Amino acid sequence: MTSRTPFPSPTPSRIAGNDPDWWRGAVIYEIYPRSFQDSDGDGIGDLRGITSRLPYVADLGVDAVWLAPFFTSPQKDFGYDISDYCDIDPAYGTLADFDALIAEAHRLGLKVMIDQVLSHSSDRHPWFVESRSSRDSAKADWYVWADPRPDGGPPNNWLSVFGGSSWQWDSRRRQYYLHNFLTEQPDLNFHNEEVVEALLNTVKFWLDRGVDGFRLDTTNFYFHDAELRSNPPDPDVPDHKRIEAYHWQDHRYDKNRPEVPGFLRRLRALLDLYPGSATVGEIGQGPRSLELMALYTGGGDKLHMAYTFDFLGAAFSAGHFRSHVARFEEVAADGWPCWAFSNHDVVRHLSRWRGHARDDRKLASLAAAILLSLRGSVCLYQGEELGLHEAELAYEDLVDPYGLRLWPEFKGRDGCRTPMVWDGASPTGGFTEGKPWLPVSAAHLARAVDRQRADDTSVLSEYRRLLRFRRDNPALVKGSITFVENAAPEPGETLAFVRRHGDSAILCLFNLSADPAEFRAGADLSGVIGTGRDRIPLEGHQALFLHIGPGGQALPPAGTGAGLTASSSTGDRTEPRSTSGQSSLT
């Protein structure tokens, strides 16, 4: 596929002074606009509210913000159903408000990435209104339409992520249209060249407006099988996923199609005209997710980076983290991952993993230390840095269509989308002066920003230290990763790897168990950590970083403590010691 759309180059002033590879190893802070900060008292967060809070985000030490959708939308799926790709929904503000947000973010040194939902639009989008009006309309083939079977049923067995068939009957055209999500979210037809060019031009609109990149929603859904073949059953679906019929299928024909990389190359060609712009794609979950992430980011001509849902589930073990990262390193070649533990679509990780910890503050610090040490870029979700759990909501408070449909087996996504808490003394957490669109969790108020900001032992302070430590050590930002074995007779739930960049190397040690453990250097670290350091005790949920010199010797700690560990020097030896949750990152 080759683009027929002429894209002019941007003005040099737009990219002056930028590192075009800023995204490689960047920490990206996800903002859910509806829940971050309300500026006008209507109970819904907005762009002006986000702009007013950007100094807080910059002070954390992250590199960029990712804004979930704020485009014109009927809000059936809260912005992921777009009716105008090139305008702002009035609930969130205006284009002038967006321009002011961009200017303030750039003044603070923050890049701005926005959600781009290309796979589907709202059924209120003018494109779909015209497409469904007639089989002979100019946009008749802009969406995926199919005739019914002879018995009137849908053309195949494809299922919607949100439940039921992914085909919706339309009486005007007397055909079915495809919707992988809500019926109000019809899928665009990427096999149509006019559709591809129109979507690329919406991307260009925002690049010209100054955005630094895009988070691409449901990247592996862009294409469908043109023959509309039915999916085969998935013989390996785990029992806990059988509550959703969607997981019973091997989705080889309704997504993950071989045409996707061709479109991504065209998208990358457009972004390459805007040096310093970047993409991060959402791949989702499935047995081939890591391979797709590698495919979509390899070669330097498609996505810059991508993430999957592999770390967004219930699994929490050293083996799980090691196997998935190592698998990506094995298949990725020159690809680049972006790791996340939480986002706006899943239960917050402290709730998913709470059964593995006696102290959730320790778990929050440990999780942050692991995430910020992996090779790749990182996405943090608003409130993650406060150690927030999933909010407990009553059924009558739910607004998420996914949760309303699957209740009570699945409670939806509202629990991770409740408003950000800034002021612990305010019943609305300082989010709004009106009635918030979702209730503010009373349990969250004790962890509000103002309650943690001045507390050196808080989760917020720990995130700041870890982010500063990461930024000060290039090995953690852009270095390689090599996993090492724990040669202790009972290694327990320990995770160990070395990050290297040039002459800099850091040994990263983590005890994922609440019980004490010991790390012993094996043959793969022979002579690396020096005499007297071959056995390192680790307390429960402890993280430890040790600098390694060019010759393999252990160096005095210029910031070797993280998570729950600090270090002290005695002569030319470095001894780890527990600090009950505090860090000493210098």
Side-chain angles (χ1 to χ4, degrees):
M1 298 171 68
T2 57
S3 174
R4 296 198 295 259
T5 305
F7 296 120
S9 298
T11 58
S13 60
R14 180 188 181 279
I15 60 175
N18 279 358
D19 172 10
D21 286 335
W22 65 268
W23 52 272
R24 195 178 290 274
V27 178
I28 305 163
Y29 185 88
E30 182 193 353
I31 292 175
Y32 194 72
R34 199 173 184 87
S35 295
F36 200 60
Q37 180 65 61
D38 173 26
S39 70
D40 58 11
D42 66 355
I44 297 174
D46 47 48
L47 296 180
R48 289 187 179 184
I50 293 171
T51 302
S52 71
R53 295 295 189 181
L54 286 178
Y56 164 82
V57 180
D59 186 58
L60 281 176
V62 302
D63 302 289
V65 294
W66 147 28
L67 306 180
F70 48 78
F71 312 104
T72 308
S73 166
Q75 304 296 320
K76 296 294 184 180
D77 192 22
F78 300 102
Y80 284 90
D81 52 320
I82 298 172
S83 57
D84 189 338
Y85 282 98
C86 298
D87 205 355
I88 309 293
D89 193 277
Y92 299 129
T94 65
L95 282 170
D97 294 332
F98 180 79
D99 293 340
L101 186 156
I102 289 279
E104 174 67 358
H106 287 172
R107 184 188 72 81
L108 293 167
L110 293 169
K111 305 289 186 182
V112 178
M113 306 184 78
I114 65 173
D115 236 312
Q116 200 74 1
V117 188
L118 302 180
S119 68
H120 55 268
S121 75
S122 165
D123 62 352
R124 306 283 184 87
H125 197 293
W127 295 347
F128 187 73
V129 172
E130 182 175 350
S131 183
R132 81 188 310 178
S133 67
S134 167
R135 296 193 188 195
D136 299 320
S137 73
K139 292 183 171 57
D141 194 35
W142 276 45
Y143 292 81
V144 185
W145 294 93
D147 291 329
R149 295 196 308 262
D151 63 359
N156 58 34
N157 70 347
W158 296 353
L159 297 174
S160 165
V161 174
F162 285 180
S165 172
S166 62
W167 295 99
Q168 176 66 28
W169 177 253
D170 183 79
S171 58
R172 180 174 299 179
R173 285 189 51 148
R174 298 184 183 180
Q175 287 182 304
Y176 286 93
Y177 68 82
L178 179 67
H179 63 92
N180 276 297
F181 299 93
L182 295 176
T183 57
E184 295 89 351
Q185 294 171 298
D187 276 63
L188 284 150
N189 181 12
F190 274 70
H191 292 286
N192 185 323
E193 176 62 25
E194 291 181 342
V195 171
V196 171
E197 292 200 10
L199 290 172
L200 289 174
N201 275 306
T202 68
V203 173
K204 182 181 182 300
F205 174 87
W206 295 104
L207 287 167
D208 288 338
R209 208 150 198 114
V211 303
D212 301 289
F214 304 91
R215 180 266 188 184
L216 299 171
D217 187 62
T218 59
T219 303
N220 53 323
F221 281 83
Y222 288 163
F223 282 85
H224 66 284
D225 176 45
E227 298 179 34
L228 302 183
R229 287 170 286 187
S230 286
N231 288 325
D234 183 351
D236 300 319
V237 58
D239 186 67
H240 73 276
K241 287 192 174 182
R242 289 187 174 273
I243 64 169
E244 299 174 71
Y246 182 82
H247 296 299
W248 290 38
Q249 292 185 358
D250 176 359
H251 293 274
R252 67 177 62 177
Y253 293 121
D254 55 351
K255 63 180 182 181
N256 306 334
R257 300 302 298 158
E259 297 92 343
V260 173
F263 171 76
L264 296 179
R265 290 188 182 94
R266 293 184 62 174
L267 179 64
R268 179 62 173 265
L270 170 58
L271 266 74
D272 284 347
L273 296 176
Y274 296 78
S277 60
T279 53
V280 54
E282 177 196 35
I283 307 301
Q285 60 188 3
R288 299 184 296 276
S289 59
L290 291 173
E291 284 74 7
L292 287 174
M293 187 164 71
L295 173 64
Y296 292 175
T297 63
D301 61 349
K302 297 180 284 297
L303 296 177
H304 295 78
M305 48 190 165
Y307 75 90
T308 73
F309 280 47
D310 291 86
F311 293 159
L312 297 175
F316 181 79
S317 69
H320 178 70
F321 290 119
R322 174 170 179 156
S323 64
H324 282 71
V325 175
R327 177 61 179 162
F328 178 82
E329 293 293 314
E330 177 186 345
V331 301
D334 57 349
W336 192 259
C338 184
W339 304 112
F341 287 171
S342 286
N343 69 17
H344 65 278
D345 277 334
V346 299
V347 173
R348 288 183 177 272
H349 67 266
L350 284 191
S351 291
R352 299 198 315 269
W353 300 339
R354 70 191 336 162
H356 298 275
R358 304 183 186 115
D359 183 330
D360 62 358
R361 191 188 65 80
K362 289 184 178 181
L363 179 61
S365 297
L366 175 67
I370 294 172
L371 181 61
L372 292 168
S373 302
L374 298 175
R375 174 184 175 267
S377 302
V378 170
C379 282
L380 302 178
Y381 179 50
Q382 65 182 51
E384 179 176 337
E385 77 280 9
L386 302 178
L388 298 186
H389 289 85
E390 187 84 348
E392 295 292 334
L393 299 177
Y395 177 80
E396 54 267 25
D397 292 324
L398 299 186
V399 295
D400 177 20
Y402 195 23
L404 288 168
R405 180 160 191 163
L406 295 177
W407 177 279
E409 285 76 19
F410 178 69
K411 299 181 179 180
R413 301 165 294 179
D414 292 324
C416 68
R417 297 177 175 182
T418 55
M420 182 73 171
V421 283
W422 305 97
D423 178 0
S426 165
T428 63
F431 163 69
T432 182
E433 294 181 357
K435 180 181 179 181
W437 74 287
L438 280 176
V440 174
S441 169
H444 287 181
L445 294 177
R447 303 188 181 205
V449 171
D450 68 333
R451 300 288 176 90
Q452 297 196 44
R453 193 190 296 272
D455 181 0
D456 190 56
T457 68
S458 69
V459 174
L460 175 60
S461 294
E462 186 69 10
Y463 267 81
R464 284 179 173 150
R465 281 190 289 267
L466 286 163
L467 286 162
R468 184 171 67 248
F469 182 61
R470 176 185 173 91
R471 176 170 287 184
D472 289 345
N473 288 275
L476 295 178
V477 178
K478 298 186 178 182
S480 64
I481 186 169
T482 303
F483 287 92
V484 295
E485 297 292 339
N486 185 352
E490 297 181 4
E493 282 294 326
T494 55
L495 179 68
F497 51 82
V498 175
R499 299 295 310 278
R500 298 183 187 275
H501 183 73
D503 291 337
S504 174
I506 299 177
L507 173 61
C508 307
L509 302 175
F510 308 95
N511 180 9
L512 277 66
S513 169
D515 300 318
E518 180 182 74
F519 176 80
R520 293 190 190 181
D524 50 2
L525 274 181
S526 178
V528 168
I529 58 176
T531 303
R533 300 305 311 279
D534 58 325
R535 296 186 179 185
I536 300 175
L538 293 170
E539 296 180 5
H541 291 143
Q542 188 175 37
L544 174 64
F545 298 123
L546 294 175
H547 284 281
I548 302 171
Q553 75 276 18
L555 296 178
T560 57
L564 304 178
T565 300
S567 296
S568 62
S569 288
T570 305
D572 59 359
R573 290 182 58 191
T574 305
E575 297 295 343
R577 60 179 174 84
S578 172
T579 57
S580 301
Q582 299 183 34
S583 294
S584 176
L585 302 180
T586 59

